[in-house]
Structure formats: C-alpha cells, structure tokens
Amino acid sequence: VQLQASGGGSVQVGDSLRLSCTASKGSFPGSFPVHAMGWFRQAPGKEREFVGAINRRDGNTLYDDSVKGRFTISTDNAKNTVYLQMNNLKSEDTAIYYCAGREGRNIVPLRSGVADYWGQGTQVTVSS
C-alpha cells in the first residue's frame, strides 16, 4: 500500500487549503481492509502530532482539539482519496502534513500514531 499526499502550499492566515491523500490500488474498500485513515503534522522542532482521522466505511471522524471546527476530513472511495479541508488557517498550522492508514476500521489508535502505512509529507506554510 502506498499513500500519496498532495495539496500543500503557502497561504495567508485565514485562508483555506485542501490536502489530498490518494492510495495505490488495492488499499480501499472492496480490495484491501485499510479503512482507518488519518492526518498528522510535524512542525519544525516539534514532534509529529495527530490532526484527525476517518473511518472510510461509516464516515466516523475524530479530530484533535486544536483543529476541531476548522478542519474537516472526508473520503471519496471511488477515487481512493481522503481529503483534509483546512479552513481559517493559523500560523501555528504551519507544518509538514502526513497521511496514514491502518488495517481495520478502528480509528482510535491513530490518535496515538499507530498506523500501518504512511505517506510522504506535504508542506503547509501559513503566514501573516
């Protein structure tokens, strides 16, 4: 399973950005049991932190408090893609964003960074 994150860029405070995480063939419903997908980020000099996660079967989501109400995770299983819609971006959202997946449907372990597959990162820079 390979995950490809994209959509990063440089924006201003208050702007929006949508990240995408596309999985290689064989990793989505009907072909492979990777149903729990998550987003993480790592700012310079800081440890990687959980952003949010989604169960692609039932749409159930989980978010870190720092992004709740501003970020939304969704999935398009037909396109093998999970999205991270980021609104009202703040300077502290600047980081490299990673997507990850784990086999099964339980998204709770993702909060602790427990994942089976990781994508490469995409840089998000928010400036004032």
Side-chain angles (χ1 to χ4, degrees), residues 9-28:
S10 296
V11 296
Q12 301 291 312
V13 169
D15 284 351
S16 298
L17 202 60
R18 188 178 77 164
L19 305 183
S20 300
C21 176
T22 300
S24 61
K25 180 182 179 181
S27 63
F28 269 59

Side-chain angles (χ1 to χ4, degrees), residues 5-11 17-20 86 95 97 121-125:
S6 62
S10 296
V11 296
L17 202 60
R18 188 178 77 164
L19 305 183
S20 300
M86 304 184 293
Y97 283 71
T122 184
Q123 176 71 48
V124 173
T125 303

